[in-house]
Amino acid sequence: MRRRFLPLLLLPTLWSCSTSDSNPIIDFGEGEGITYRQGNNVPTGPRDYTDWTTDATWNKQERALFADANLDLNGPQRPELIAYTTAYPNPTWSGQASWAIGPRTGSASGGPFTVRAVLVNRQYRAMLRIAPQALVVSGLTYALDYTKAGLEPRELYRLYYLVTDASGLVYKGHGDVKVE
């Protein structure tokens, strides 16, 4: 009798797998899913330790965001060459924020570095693309206009970033942001 019901019990599991493959949704993790920072970039409140650091591997949807980079996005990285990356304020009440990224000074990097980024919604739909830019020694700060990008209040979004140089992949990661 149990054997007849086993296939029926497995159907929801199989169905959810095929749904997630065809309609992927970002998992922002436990808690509030963001790292809180004030407008002057000072930490405040909860921290998401998976944000604003290097990611080891990216799934198919994440790699597709940077398909034009023409390199192995799951290849080896050199995270010691990047000192920081952060977005602030987070969350923002004004719809404006800054995203900053900087190289580690004094490292034998070989640069120059190129940085690009994509801000996506839960379904990996690009809301804002940051075209490739040179990462200078003093770092790069990019003004994010969430209102202009069409972000909805009280919703989480993810900023994926990619740093490359002439030899390939240097650093990749993500950080989650919120507009209040």
Side-chain angles (χ1 to χ4, degrees):
M1 177 98 164
R2 282 189 229 166
R3 288 187 181 184
R4 285 195 296 181
F5 290 111
L6 185 59
L8 292 175
L9 293 173
L10 291 176
L11 280 177
T13 304
L14 295 173
W15 181 77
S16 67
C17 289
S18 66
T19 301
S20 65
D21 290 344
S22 63
N23 189 17
I25 304 285
I26 291 176
D27 178 8
F28 291 100
E30 295 182 23
E32 296 187 43
I34 66 170
T35 294
Y36 278 70
R37 296 191 88 71
Q38 296 175 355
N40 58 358
N41 201 17
V42 173
T44 178
R47 178 175 178 195
D48 181 346
Y49 289 93
T50 67
D51 284 354
W52 314 112
T53 185
T54 185
D55 292 340
T57 58
W58 276 351
N59 65 33
K60 183 173 100 175
Q61 291 79 19
E62 292 165 328
R63 291 189 313 268
L65 296 170
F66 299 97
D68 63 331
N70 296 319
L71 54 101
D72 179 7
L73 295 175
N74 284 335
Q77 300 178 63
R78 295 170 282 156
E80 69 278 2
L81 301 179
I82 302 300
Y84 63 88
T85 182
T86 184
Y88 59 94
N90 196 18
T92 180
W93 283 263
S94 69
Q96 311 290 315
S98 296
W99 171 56
I101 185 167
R104 189 165 314 282
T105 55
S107 64
S109 65
F113 299 128
T114 300
V115 177
R116 63 186 87 203
V118 182
L119 182 67
V120 301
N121 67 7
R122 289 179 183 271
Q123 291 79 29
Y124 294 97
R125 189 178 120 223
M127 306 300 288
L128 174 68
R129 286 193 176 274
I130 299 173
Q133 299 183 33
L135 179 58
V136 296
V137 174
S138 60
L140 172 71
T141 301
Y142 189 88
L144 299 169
D145 188 337
Y146 296 149
T147 305
K148 194 174 184 179
L151 275 57
E152 295 291 327
R154 291 170 294 287
E155 182 63 47
L156 293 174
Y157 295 88
R158 179 164 286 174
L159 182 72
Y160 286 98
Y161 45 86
L162 175 66
V163 180
T164 58
D165 67 7
S167 65
L169 180 62
V170 173
Y171 192 84
K172 71 171 196 254
H174 77 272
D176 300 328
V177 297
K178 185 177 182 182
V179 181
E180 285 292 345

